[in-house]
């Protein structure tokens, strides 16, 4: 038999074999899909949620395309029964959405190895890396938070308020220039302002102009990757974001080394990393003196990673709050008038002086406005956790192991409070004290062991922005249908990116004379 004939027979035999296998392969695939549906329904049980889901991807496409609509649907499902929660399926993950405040607290207070692990983002570990503060728990987490505490003392916060005002002033002046003839969207402008503020407050003089430019490029890549599916292949937005995080942490580690050198000379702290390193250096010296190993969380690489965690927490959440402050003040002129009246009685742009920590404390109504902005529109509306083990959420339902759980700070904000659907800063007045009466419903900064350590800094920043923005600028929203609808980017902001008309209101901008120029 010729070689050609033999090859033909073998080829035909192979084709027949593959053809015969196709029905088995199809049956096997259908069997796997059936198992997936059965597994989902077994976890879902009687909880509100879709009855059938697409194989593997579940409802990921609706989530990516229309996140607001997706979460609104989950909220509607959660409200459809007294249970207070609903379920869904995303990229092979069973998810639980919680709107009930007490059930949310149950999740927040059980962040531990055998209950829930805080993840911050559904694909956070892949993106942020294992070093992130939010993944710690137990004594290790307590030890690190203790070391972070000196960063937020009254003295430290007072130092930051000066830096914050310098950057806010610089950017507000540029916003007015950009808006000379037309309305402008300020989301990206506010994000850039907050990024420069964070850089200046956190690492101050240690990040030069070129380093800041590289930093901003990498942070942009990181922001883009946050909203993409976790396809970690070369050239994808997610891979670019992951590599950008590594570079950002490395840049912050270099700043840490420079701060250590400065603090070892006994100089006064001028930014957050200096306050941190002041105590860290003392602990390192004590360890050397006692002949023991260096204290934990003290290497430049470790601290650089934690600084990135701070940056991420401060950056996007703060941008969201600033945009909603502008939006809500525009739609509530009576609140705006009261803010301007209070600030004018305490500080004036024409004074050419920085707002002091004491003056900031005197702005009680403006502080109430800031707190109400955060209640009414909490930036991080959802706080993802993963169930490390099966967890009894209620008497009748246990969350299955591996489920991603989403306690909703937004849903909780509209429970308990007096007329919660109304924007009403007076609820935080000394007379009404709803911040104390309904404290458990105010989850914008989280709860439990992972409650936001920098919440006072965040509120100070919002109060300073409101005081300076309303005093120096006349503004009016360029309103169109649906412009105030919530969109996720990934924190929430107005649908139109807060488009406004701006003009100078004060006679002269403050000069803050004697204050050195930053960021050179």
């Amino acid at each position: 038999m010729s070689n050609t004939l033999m090859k033909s027979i073998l080829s035909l035999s192979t084709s027949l074999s593959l053809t015969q296998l196709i029905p088995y392969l199809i049956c096997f695939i259908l069997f796997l899909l059936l198992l997936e549906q059965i597994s989902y329904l077994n976890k879902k049980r009687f909880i509100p949620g879709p009855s059938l889901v697409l194989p593997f991807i579940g409802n990921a496409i609706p989530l990516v395309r229309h996140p607001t609509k997706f979460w609104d649907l989950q909220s509607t499902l959660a409200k459809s029964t007294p249970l207070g929660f609903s379920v869904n399926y995303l990229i092979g993950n069973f998810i639980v959405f919680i709107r009930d405040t007490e059930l949310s607290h149950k999740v927040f207070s059980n962040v531990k190895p055998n209950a829930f692990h805080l993840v911050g983002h559904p694909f956070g570990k892949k993106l942020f890396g294992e070093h992130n503060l939010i993944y710690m728990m137990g004594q290790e987490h307590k030890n690190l938070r203790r070391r972070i505490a000196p960063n937020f003392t009254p003295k430290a916060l007072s130092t930051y308020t000066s830096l914050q005002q310098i950057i806010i002033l610089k950017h507000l002046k540029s916003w007015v220039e950009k808006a000379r003839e037309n309305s402008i969207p300020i989301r990206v402008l506010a994000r850039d302002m907050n990024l420069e503020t964070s850089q200046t407050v956190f690492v101050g003089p240690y990040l030069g102009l070129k380093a800041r430019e590289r930093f901003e490029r990498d942070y942009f890549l990181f922001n883009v990757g946050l909203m993409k599916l976790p396809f970690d292949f070369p050239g994808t937005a997610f891979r670019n974001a992951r590599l950008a995080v590594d570079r950002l942490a490395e840049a912050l580690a270099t700043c840490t080394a420079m701060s250590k050198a400065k603090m070892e000379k006994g100089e006064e702290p001028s930014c957050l990393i200096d306050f941190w390193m002041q105590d860290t250096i003392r602990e390192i010296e004590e360890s050397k003196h006692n002949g023991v190993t260096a204290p934990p969380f003290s290497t430049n690489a470790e601290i650089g990673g934690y600084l990135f965690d701070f940056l991420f927490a401060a950056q996007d959440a703060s941008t969201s709050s600033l945009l909603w402050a502008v939006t809500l003040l525009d739609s509530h002129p009576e609140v705006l008038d009261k803010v301007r009246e209070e600030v004018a009685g305490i500080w004036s742009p024409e004074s050419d002086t920085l707002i002091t920590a004491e003056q900031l404390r005197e702005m009680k109504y403006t502080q109430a406005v800031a707190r109400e902005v955060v209640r009414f529109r909490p930036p991080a509306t959802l706080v993802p956790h993963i169930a490390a083990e099966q967890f009894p959420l209620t008497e009748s339902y246990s969350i299955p192991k591996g489920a991603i759980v989403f306690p909703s700070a937004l849903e909780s904000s509209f429970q308990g409070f007096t007329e919660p659907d109304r924007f009403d800063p007076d609820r935080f007045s000394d007379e009404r004290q709803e911040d104390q009466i309904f404290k458990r419903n105010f989850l914008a900064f989280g709860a439990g062991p992972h409650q936001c350590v920098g919440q006072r800094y965040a509120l100070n920043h919002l109060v300073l922005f409101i005081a300076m923005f309303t005093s120096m600028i006349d503004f009016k929203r360029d309103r169109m249908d649906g412009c105030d609808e919530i969109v996720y980017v990934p924190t929430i902001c107005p649908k139109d990116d807060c488009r406004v008309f701006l003009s100078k209101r004060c006679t002269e901008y403050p000069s803050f004379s004697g204050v050195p120029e930053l960021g050179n």
Side-chain angles (χ1 to χ4, degrees):
M1 192 178 292
S2 68
N3 289 337
T4 304
L5 184 57
M6 281 291 293
K7 288 178 181 178
S8 298
I9 293 171
L10 287 171
S11 176
L12 180 61
S13 175
T14 303
S15 298
L16 287 171
S17 298
L18 290 174
T19 303
Q20 291 168 345
L21 283 174
I22 286 174
Y24 295 101
L25 289 172
I26 292 173
C27 288
F28 181 68
I29 291 169
L30 290 174
F31 177 70
L32 290 178
L33 296 180
L34 179 63
L35 282 181
E36 184 182 43
Q37 295 294 325
I38 292 172
S39 173
Y40 165 72
L41 292 173
N42 184 51
K43 293 173 181 176
K44 176 184 180 295
R45 296 175 62 202
F46 54 86
I47 308 303
S51 298
L52 294 173
V53 292
L54 283 174
F56 181 66
I57 62 173
N59 284 299
I61 293 174
L63 171 61
V64 172
R65 283 184 175 175
H66 303 290
T68 307
K69 188 176 179 181
F70 177 88
W71 293 116
D72 283 347
L73 176 59
Q74 288 304 131
S75 174
T76 301
L77 289 168
K79 292 174 185 175
S80 67
T81 72
L83 293 168
F85 60 101
S86 60
V87 302
N88 211 312
Y89 190 69
L90 299 172
I91 314 183
N93 293 294
F94 183 77
I95 73 163
V96 179
F97 172 89
I98 299 177
R99 74 172 302 271
D100 180 81
T101 295
E102 292 308 314
L103 295 182
S104 291
H105 273 279
K106 201 167 185 178
V107 174
F108 285 130
S109 61
N110 279 283
V111 177
K112 48 191 176 184
N114 62 347
F116 294 105
H117 296 182
L118 178 61
V119 292
H121 185 277
F123 317 115
K125 280 198 175 183
K126 290 183 179 179
L127 190 56
F128 304 137
E130 297 285 340
H131 68 271
N132 201 290
L133 172 63
I134 63 176
Y135 303 135
M136 291 185 177
M137 57 188 76
Q139 194 58 46
E140 183 185 41
H141 179 246
K142 289 179 183 177
N143 289 341
L144 180 55
R145 283 180 71 99
R146 179 180 62 80
R147 286 174 169 80
I148 290 170
N151 302 341
F152 300 104
T153 61
K155 180 181 178 182
L157 290 170
S158 179
T159 300
Y160 307 155
T161 59
S162 300
L163 301 174
Q164 288 164 289
Q165 290 173 74
I166 297 165
I167 303 302
I168 290 171
L169 172 62
K170 170 186 168 182
H171 283 264
L172 291 186
K173 288 162 70 174
S174 72
W175 292 8
V176 172
E177 284 298 309
K178 287 180 172 69
R180 278 193 166 185
E181 297 181 3
N182 299 301
S183 63
I184 59 170
I186 61 171
R187 180 174 73 86
V188 173
L189 298 177
R191 186 199 67 195
D192 292 344
M193 179 184 76
N194 282 333
L195 182 57
E196 185 174 357
T197 304
S198 298
Q199 290 171 342
T200 304
V201 168
F202 296 168
V203 293
Y206 308 118
L207 207 59
L209 187 59
K210 288 185 178 179
R212 284 179 184 241
E213 290 172 356
R214 290 193 300 271
F215 202 96
E216 288 166 11
R217 285 197 298 272
D218 281 334
Y219 201 83
F220 173 78
L221 292 173
F222 165 70
N223 262 333
V224 171
L226 274 178
M227 297 299 291
K228 302 298 181 183
L229 294 176
F231 298 134
D232 195 6
F233 305 114
T236 62
F238 192 84
R239 169 66 66 86
N240 292 339
R242 194 171 60 76
L243 296 175
V245 169
D246 292 339
R247 291 192 296 270
L248 290 165
E250 186 178 343
L252 293 168
T254 301
C255 294
T256 301
M258 296 168 71
S259 173
K260 279 181 177 177
K262 179 180 175 182
M263 292 300 99
E264 282 172 349
K265 296 176 183 176
E267 297 184 30
E268 279 295 306
S270 61
C271 59
L272 182 146
I273 190 61
D274 286 347
F275 284 99
W276 193 344
M277 290 307 97
Q278 211 175 36
D279 263 37
T280 299
I281 287 169
R282 177 182 54 76
E283 287 193 349
I284 291 172
E285 290 302 319
E286 287 177 0
S287 297
K288 287 180 181 177
H289 179 74
N290 296 325
V292 297
T293 56
F297 319 118
S298 60
T299 69
N300 298 338
E302 286 176 312
I303 294 166
Y306 301 135
L307 277 172
F308 174 75
D309 303 343
F310 281 11
L311 184 77
F312 171 59
Q315 170 65 27
D316 294 307
S318 182
T319 298
S320 171
S321 293
L322 301 193
L323 299 178
W324 288 114
V326 173
T327 297
L328 292 165
L329 286 169
D330 175 78
S331 59
H332 296 81
E334 73 287 355
V335 175
L336 174 61
D337 289 343
K338 288 181 71 174
V339 167
R340 282 176 166 160
E341 181 181 359
E342 178 183 71
V343 174
I346 298 170
W347 174 81
S348 166
E350 289 82 3
S351 67
D352 286 343
T353 59
L354 293 161
I355 299 172
T356 65
E358 291 74 19
Q359 289 174 321
L360 196 62
R361 284 193 290 271
E362 290 176 35
M363 297 179 185
K364 291 188 178 295
Y365 185 73
T366 309
Q367 288 186 27
V369 170
R371 292 181 70 82
E372 178 67 345
V373 167
V374 173
R375 181 202 70 86
F376 198 75
R377 290 290 182 264
T381 60
L382 299 159
V383 189
H385 294 67
I386 288 182
E389 300 290 343
Q390 182 171 297
F391 184 86
L393 186 65
T394 66
E395 290 183 2
S396 59
Y397 185 78
S398 291
I399 294 174
K401 178 180 178 179
I404 302 179
V405 185
F406 293 87
S408 174
L410 179 64
E411 294 290 327
S412 186
S413 290
F414 290 88
Q415 298 169 42
F417 291 97
T418 305
E419 296 183 82
D421 293 331
R422 190 160 69 92
F423 181 75
D424 180 14
D426 284 325
R427 71 176 74 253
F428 293 114
S429 65
D430 290 340
E431 292 74 29
R432 288 171 58 180
Q433 295 186 359
E434 289 193 23
D435 53 331
Q436 297 302 315
I437 298 170
F438 303 112
K439 187 176 182 179
R440 290 184 70 78
N441 297 86
F442 191 81
L443 292 177
F445 296 105
H450 280 268
Q451 188 174 38
C452 177
V453 69
Q455 59 181 288
R456 174 43 59 190
Y457 166 77
L459 285 169
N460 279 356
H461 186 63
L462 184 53
V463 174
L464 286 168
F465 173 81
I466 292 171
M468 296 176 72
F469 183 79
T470 57
S471 299
M472 296 190 292
I473 294 177
D474 279 317
F475 63 99
K476 182 176 176 58
R477 290 276 274 121
D478 188 358
R479 293 196 170 275
M480 293 172 282
D481 288 345
C483 64
D484 289 350
E485 290 178 14
I486 292 174
V487 295
Y488 289 76
V489 289
T491 50
I492 60 171
C493 80
K495 186 177 180 180
D496 70 340
D497 285 350
C498 195
R499 180 173 283 275
V500 287
F501 294 99
L502 302 172
S503 61
K504 184 179 177 183
R505 184 172 190 270
C506 55
T507 307
E508 293 292 337
Y509 292 119
S511 65
F512 296 152
S513 56
V515 178
E517 195 71 22
L518 297 169
N520 296 323

